[in-house]
Amino acid sequence: MIIGVTGGIGSGKSTVARLFGELGIGWVDADDVAREIVAPGEPALDAITERFGMQVLNNDGSLNRATLREIVFTDPSQRAWLESVTHPRIRERLLEHLRQLCTQSPYVLLVSPLLFESGQDALVKRTLVVDVPEAEQLARTLARDHVSEQQVRAILAAQLPRDVRLSRADDVIDNSRGRNYTQRQVAALDQQYRNSIT
Ligand code: ADP
């Protein structure tokens, strides 16, 4: 059984995943896998370099994500092409990791900021949204990352609005309060998920 964990930037997805991890649950982060499939030596990176040239590579041969983002940000057709190359590979690799984790975990988590937006929710049995008010998302992201308020607001605007995300959730964790409160919700859901596997 795969549970999809999502939430906006700074909502606490990684924190919640780690708490499930402490209870023995395996998880994979879609952002990590998105980076993995464009690492040097991967066919997706070769395809990207062939299309956009050496400008999208750093000196060490790794993908220059900032340059690539600029190219596709201003050109929807290039963006569509990039997604047609990366999305199937991300999906395949995610499933590979999850299958592996399933051998040692009663159920597994797919953690993805864009679970609904990318259609990855089709891979999961249930969706779990980690929820905090937007002001808290902003404050926690600014405290965690070296980014400007304007950059965080741009990311917030590109993600699903909070009410839409919540309306699509099977389960919700309120992460607006202390970590103990979140931990208790994780423990309760873990019991629910274990009980639902028979
Ligand atoms: P995401 O993975 O959704 O971007 P994180 O799990 O990294 O979010 O959480 C964002 C930041 O907020 C991190 O610095 C984290 O330590 C902090 N954080 C997470 N949950 C709480 C909480 N309940 N109270 C206070 N800070 C929190």
Side-chain angles (χ1 to χ4, degrees):
M1 177 168 84
I2 306 172
I3 306 289
V5 178
T6 190
I9 182 170
S11 59
K13 296 177 296 295
S14 314
T15 302
V16 163
R18 276 196 294 274
L19 289 169
F20 275 101
E22 287 170 13
L23 301 175
I25 302 306
W27 53 276
V28 57
D29 186 316
D31 275 354
D32 293 342
V33 173
R35 272 187 285 273
E36 199 183 300
I37 61 113
V38 291
E42 291 280 347
L45 184 58
D46 297 339
I48 290 166
T49 315
E50 207 166 284
R51 185 166 182 106
F52 300 117
M54 299 303 275
Q55 58 166 339
V56 295
L57 291 185
N58 294 311
N59 287 337
D60 64 0
S62 64
L63 179 63
N64 186 329
R65 303 171 70 86
T67 305
L68 183 61
R69 213 178 299 128
E70 245 167 65
I71 296 171
V72 302
F73 188 71
T74 51
D75 189 336
S77 68
Q78 301 288 24
R79 186 189 179 133
W81 177 86
L82 181 66
E83 289 178 349
S84 76
V85 167
T86 54
H87 282 187
R89 288 191 166 85
I90 293 171
R91 187 192 150 98
E92 200 177 300
R93 195 68 62 86
L94 275 174
L95 288 173
E96 242 171 68
H97 284 299
L98 290 166
R99 238 178 258 127
Q100 185 79 34
L101 290 166
C102 267
T103 61
Q104 315 137 43
S105 182
Y107 62 92
V108 291
L109 308 180
L110 164 55
V111 181
S112 176
L114 301 175
L115 186 77
F116 296 122
E117 293 92 326
S118 69
Q120 283 166 355
D121 55 332
L123 303 175
V124 309
K125 177 92 184 292
R126 290 184 77 78
T127 58
L128 167 57
V129 165
V130 183
D131 181 59
V132 298
E134 244 181 44
E136 199 66 39
Q137 272 182 275
L138 184 64
R140 288 181 186 174
T141 305
L142 288 176
R144 184 191 59 186
D145 302 337
H146 294 284
V147 287
S148 69
E149 176 170 342
Q150 197 187 359
Q151 282 171 304
V152 183
R153 287 199 185 280
I155 294 170
L156 281 171
Q159 298 183 335
L160 271 187
R162 185 182 178 199
D163 55 340
V164 176
R165 191 183 294 117
L166 282 172
S167 74
R168 297 183 62 174
D170 293 313
D171 305 307
V172 177
I173 284 183
D174 171 6
N175 188 36
S176 67
R177 291 159 65 179
R179 289 167 196 273
N180 287 344
Y181 180 59
T182 297
Q183 206 284 328
R184 285 199 296 278
Q185 297 172 77
V186 167
L189 279 171
D190 176 59
Q191 264 319 314
Q192 180 191 316
Y193 295 152
R194 284 175 194 263
N195 291 342
S196 72
I197 311 160
T198 41

